[in-house]
Amino acid sequence: MSAAPAEIPDPYRTHPHSGPRTVTQLRAALTAASAADREEFEAQLGELSLDDPEEYEALVRAWRHRLVMRTNPVILAAVAASTDPAARRWTSAEILGDTPETNR
């Protein structure tokens, strides 16, 4: 019997236990990535209600995701490729498999 293949992580998804684990770490990472993002995070953090932990959780989750979007090399390469005028363009039909060849 062979072992199941290891799951390949999806570089376009954030994972609950990856990235900064504390607000201090998140602040430092945001500062390193973008001073403007750090300022925006601080402004939003300052407006949170102390009585709503779900609002705090949602803010931290959104900013951790934004940090990944700004720093993950695979995502940055995909964004750069999407703005390359010489790059191949895909239609939604090609992406979704709605071409005549697949409908036969």
Side-chain angles (χ1 to χ4, degrees):
M1 208 179 272
S2 64
E7 184 177 322
I8 300 170
D10 183 347
Y12 303 104
R13 294 183 65 80
T14 56
H15 302 281
H17 301 293
S18 65
R21 302 296 303 146
T22 67
V23 172
T24 300
Q25 291 172 349
L26 181 56
R27 283 178 168 139
L30 287 170
T31 299
S34 166
D37 279 355
R38 166 70 190 270
E39 290 176 19
E40 188 176 342
F41 169 73
E42 292 295 341
Q44 291 177 8
L45 185 64
E47 296 298 317
L48 289 181
S49 168
L50 294 175
D51 296 324
D52 190 352
E54 290 175 3
E55 187 178 339
Y56 178 82
E57 179 183 351
L59 179 73
V60 169
R61 184 175 40 253
W63 278 97
R64 286 175 75 197
H65 179 79
R66 189 169 182 173
L67 180 64
V68 168
M69 298 296 290
R70 297 242 201 268
T71 60
N72 183 302
V74 175
I75 293 171
L76 293 174
V79 170
S82 74
T83 61
D84 178 359
R88 183 184 189 294
R89 300 295 186 235
W90 298 85
T91 67
S92 59
E94 290 170 316
I95 293 168
L96 299 173
D98 292 338
T99 58
E101 294 80 33
T102 60
N103 291 332
R104 290 181 189 176

